[in-house]
Structure formats: structure tokens, C-alpha cells
Amino acid sequence: GAGVSQSPSNKVTEKGKDVELRCDPISGHTALYWYRQSLGQGLEFLIYFQGNSAPDKSGLPSDRFSAERTGGSVSTLTIQRTQQEDSAVYLCASSFPGQGDEKLFFGSGTQLSVL
Amino acid sequence: SQQGEEDPQALSIQEGENATMNCSYKTSINNLQWYRQNSGRGLVHLILIRSNEREKHSGRLRVTLDTSKKSSSLLITASRAADTASYFCATDTGRRALTFGSGTRLQVQP
């Protein structure tokens, strides 16, 4: 696609439910990143994929969070047993490493609200 | 704490004035990047400066980098109402994903 696509754009869920957030990166971008942004705050790194493997999962806040990437393309971030503190905008970005200085291309994010 | 910290947290200026935002970081970097975010959603890359560069220009944007002080500044000249947004610095240390600062919220009054 022309840009990074995230779905859904908004998700309201009840505490304790599981949610899946999807990211479709720019075609050909091998690197994919998930960040989280709480209201009025900076971006918190969650996980990074190079191809289908995740060399850096160090930002995942708990074992309720997991992510996968298939076919070197689409990625899914899953949050199990959601808590109110999980409410945030989840941002996905992609890049094409190997060009030297990488810049990230971001999607519009998923606004997650846990009631 | 964050690798990058922006200063000020918020800035309000009149259209036509210049806006300066600062970023400080802690560890050595490969490059430093500035991004803009409108309405709390996706970020857009503005400009990148490498660790061996001291100044870079792009249109109305001017970025400086002082690696000895581990700081950078973003200057927006002749600001417009459309420049109203949050601005973030991000550092590339070569070890993991970009690390973003907490951002500066810029309000440009028409």
C-alpha cells in the first residue's frame, strides 16, 4: 500500500477481554516497530521486527502482550486480559533498513480504550 | 527516564515568529531525527542529522546538533498556524529502535 495501515482506528473493550491490533506496513519494508503513546506523553517502544523475527522484545510491558509478524508483512499485536492502564494509542511504523540512516513511516495508530 | 528530553514542554507563539525546540539525550548516537505529530496520531518524519553533522536545513526548518553537549535544537522560521503540532526528537543509537523524547507541543496563534 501507499502508507502504513493500522486497524481498527479505534477500539473500545471491557477490562479482561483480549484485543488484536493489526499493522500493514509499506510494501517492501522489512523492519516493523510497535510503539505505545499514553495521552500527552512520548512514545514508548514495545517491539521491533526484522522480517518475521523479533530481535528486540524488551519493551513489551508484561506477558499479556505479544506480537507476531507473518510473511514479512502484516503484524498483529495482541493484548490479553486487558487492563485500564493499557488504554493508549498504539502506533506502528515501518522502515527499509540498509539505506543507512533509517527514518520511520508511521501509521495513524489504534486508539485503545479499556473500560 | 527517556533517552531524549524536549524543552520546552509547550510553546505558544504568534504566526510569523520563529519557534525553537531543544532536545537533550544521554548516550552516543548515530543520528538524531525530528518528527511531527498532529492530533495525537501518526508521526511524520521531518529531518535527520547525522552524528558528524553540526547543522542541517530543510525549507523553514533548521536543525543543529552538538554531540559534546548531547543536545539538538529545531528551529522553525516564519511559523504558520499549520505548524501547530507536537514535535519529537528521536535518537538512533544503532542498538535498537529509535528512542523518542516526550515532545514539545507548539501552538501557533493566527
Side-chain angles (χ1 to χ4, degrees), chain A:
Chain A
V4 178
S5 177
Q6 290 189 247
S7 61
S9 57
N10 290 281
K11 176 71 176 178
V12 180
T13 190
E14 294 178 350
K15 179 181 171 181
K17 296 285 180 68
D18 297 352
V19 294
E20 281 190 356
L21 312 180
R22 176 187 168 109
C23 173
D24 200 341
I26 292 173
S27 178
H29 279 195
T30 56
L32 186 148
Y33 306 81
W34 284 98
Y35 287 87
R36 178 171 74 171
Q37 185 179 31
S38 300
L39 187 62
Q41 302 298 310
L43 275 69
E44 175 189 3
F45 169 75
L46 297 179
I47 189 170
Y48 153 62
F49 287 92
Q50 177 57 45
N52 291 336
S53 64
D56 191 348
K57 305 179 183 179
S58 61
L60 294 177
S62 76
D63 59 8
R64 295 186 296 105
F65 288 72
S66 63
E68 65 174 12
R69 189 179 185 195
T70 55
S73 182
V74 172
S75 175
T76 302
L77 177 69
T78 301
I79 309 173
Q80 296 178 311
R81 305 181 302 282
T82 52
Q83 304 294 313
Q84 288 182 332
E85 61 262 27
D86 299 334
S87 296
V89 175
Y90 289 80
L91 292 162
C92 175
S94 69
S95 71
F96 184 66
Q99 293 180 334
D101 302 312
E102 292 178 44
K103 63 180 183 181
L104 301 187
F105 295 82
F106 281 85
S108 297
T110 294
Q111 172 73 65
L112 176 65
S113 300
V114 182
L115 305 179

Side-chain angles (χ1 to χ4, degrees), chain B residues 3-31:
Chain B
Q3 157 75 330
E5 295 287 347
E6 283 92 338
D7 168 59
Q9 291 186 350
L11 179 61
S12 182
I13 59 174
Q14 296 295 124
E15 210 166 23
E17 294 179 338
N18 296 341
T20 299
M21 289 158 267
N22 303 296
C23 170
S24 60
Y25 57 92
K26 295 182 171 63
T27 62
S28 59
I29 60 173
N30 292 336
N31 65 65

